[in-house]
Amino acid sequence: MKAGIVGLPNVGKSTLFNCLSNAKAQSANFPFCTIEPNIGVVNVPDTRLEKLESLVNPERVLPATVDIVDIAGLVKGASKGEGLGNQFLGNIRETDAILHVLRCFDDDNVVHVDGSVDPIRDKETIDMELQLKDLESVEKKLDKVKRAAKTGNKEAQKEEAVLVRIKEQLEAGISVRALDFDTADRKEFVSPLQLITDKPVLYVCNVDEGSAIGGNVYVDKVKKAVATEKAEVLVLAVGTEADINELETYEERQMFLEDLGLEEPGSSKLIRAAYHLLNLHTYFTAGPKEVRAWTIPVGATAPQAAGVIHTDFEKGFIRAEVISYDDYVTFGSEAKVKEAGKMRVEGKEYIVKDGDIMHFRFNV
């Protein structure tokens, strides 16, 4: 699952990517510094994993991960091929969620592609380009569906109504994610379109160090502007996060954070937010060889969760032995959980909960 970092040129995308990832993307004070998308595999911070490690003392610990993609900066006219438009829009279509970086700080030393700082204008510039690209896709699909609908095809008529509604909203400057569809229509007609503005979005307000906790006027404007969208807003001092990352020891980084009044790096909050934005959560396996976090979609069944480890586990699934995270911590070991009668046996219909600790029984 991939989350793509997008925004106008020079708003801090590549600096943010470097904060999140061990891969060092080029970052500089000029537009189009990033051309080819950089991809980083980022660990999802999870204190539960650390607690399980202290209880189990395994040979190794493996956290959950998310792929973060740093995509080239977008400019006005991208939907018509301006700048790196077509390439950019192709790259963003391949992601599952969007991290939209907005510049919310003043600094005369950092050029802005439009000459002044205005995060709402910047947001609208990108929204418009993405909406125009989606409109192009919807109009092509609508032409085909209309022909089938005219023959009396009931299914095509239902699809036509959905597409007309999407088209009208896009023409009004409303992204698809802001629209409500019934479950059947979404599954059958909307999701297969893979529209860019239907992807979940997290707006990352890139602020100066002094605004890292309370935000600022720019952030307030962004929150007001996205209030009607199904979107989240995160405030992050990206330049400060980069400075923290450069410190050599954990102790130095913690001291820096404490001086700023922060409990943890903002980048950790962002990674967790991206994970939830992708509608993912975690279950664990815990034993002397390894303690590991496994990534699954929210709503996954026990066999589907088993399939993440190996397809044979899903094919030959018999049952799952499940311990809740809280019970594991309370009793301190798997053996003591069993003694207390807190280990459950679950079948194929079981929906895995975030934090479940699981063993699978299977036969192939």
Side-chain angles (χ1 to χ4, degrees), residues 122-275:
D122 295 354
K123 174 191 173 305
E124 288 171 352
T125 296
I126 286 195
D127 282 351
M128 183 183 293
E129 297 306 323
L130 301 185
Q131 288 161 4
L132 286 170
K133 200 66 182 175
D134 278 353
L135 188 58
E136 186 183 299
S137 301
V138 169
E139 285 174 339
K140 281 180 185 173
K141 181 71 173 174
L142 192 55
D143 284 344
K144 292 178 185 175
V145 171
K146 275 182 175 176
R147 286 195 289 273
K150 282 178 182 174
T151 67
N153 183 314
K154 299 289 184 188
E155 200 66 12
Q157 289 170 353
K158 280 172 64 180
E159 186 172 8
E160 181 184 16
V162 172
L163 291 171
V164 166
R165 182 183 168 210
I166 293 172
K167 179 176 181 287
E168 289 172 350
Q169 295 301 307
L170 287 169
E171 287 173 336
I174 298 169
S175 293
V176 179
R177 78 179 69 86
L179 308 181
D180 287 317
F181 300 95
D182 68 45
T183 306
D185 283 350
R186 170 163 283 285
K187 186 177 179 181
E188 196 171 350
F189 304 129
V190 184
S191 296
L193 293 169
Q194 293 184 302
L195 298 173
I196 300 172
T197 65
D198 194 31
K199 296 180 190 291
V201 65
L202 171 69
Y203 291 101
V204 182
C205 293
N206 182 10
V207 299
D208 57 278
E209 185 177 303
S211 305
I213 296 178
N216 57 29
V217 174
Y218 294 130
V219 174
D220 293 341
K221 287 180 180 177
V222 171
K223 287 180 177 177
K224 187 176 179 182
V226 306
T228 57
E229 283 189 49
K230 293 168 187 168
E232 296 177 44
V233 177
L234 185 72
V235 179
L236 204 64
V238 175
T240 305
E241 295 285 328
D243 291 341
I244 293 171
N245 261 19
E246 294 299 319
L247 297 173
E248 290 185 7
T249 68
Y250 173 79
E251 288 74 19
E252 285 178 309
R253 290 193 286 272
Q254 285 304 113
M255 283 177 63
F256 197 140
L257 287 168
E258 285 170 16
D259 287 345
L260 294 173
L262 299 171
E263 293 179 7
E264 64 174 346
S267 53
S268 295
K269 292 179 185 175
L270 177 58
I271 295 162
R272 284 199 298 272
Y275 195 66

Side-chain angles (χ1 to χ4, degrees), residues 293-315:
W294 298 90
T295 298
I296 54 171
V298 173
T301 61
Q304 289 168 336
V308 173
I309 299 176
H310 198 287
T311 52
D312 284 350
F313 284 29
E314 183 171 2
K315 287 175 189 170

Side-chain angles (χ1 to χ4, degrees), residues 1 64 275 278-284 293-309 351-356 358 360:
M1 300 289 275
Y275 195 66
L278 291 163
N279 201 33
L280 302 173
H281 65 180
T282 301
Y283 78 87
F284 301 102
W294 298 90
T295 298
I296 54 171
V298 173
T301 61
Q304 289 168 336
V308 173
I309 299 176
I351 304 297
V352 179
K353 297 180 177 62
D354 186 49
D356 277 349
M358 307 186 76
F360 298 105

Side-chain angles (χ1 to χ4, degrees), residues 50-111:
E50 296 163 20
K51 183 65 179 176
L52 289 173
E53 181 184 9
S54 70
L55 293 172
V56 179
N57 195 26
E59 291 176 18
R60 63 176 184 166
V61 177
L62 294 170
T65 60
V66 173
D67 286 357
I68 303 290
V69 187
D70 177 23
I71 296 169
L74 183 68
V75 294
K76 194 175 287 186
S79 58
K80 297 179 178 66
E82 292 291 327
L84 299 165
N86 291 326
Q87 182 179 335
F88 172 97
L89 292 162
N91 292 334
I92 193 173
R93 197 181 291 282
E94 292 170 10
T95 65
D96 303 291
I98 297 170
L99 309 177
H100 186 160
V101 182
L102 295 168
R103 178 172 168 176
C104 294
F105 66 89
D106 294 304
D107 186 341
D108 293 339
N109 295 317
V110 180
V111 296

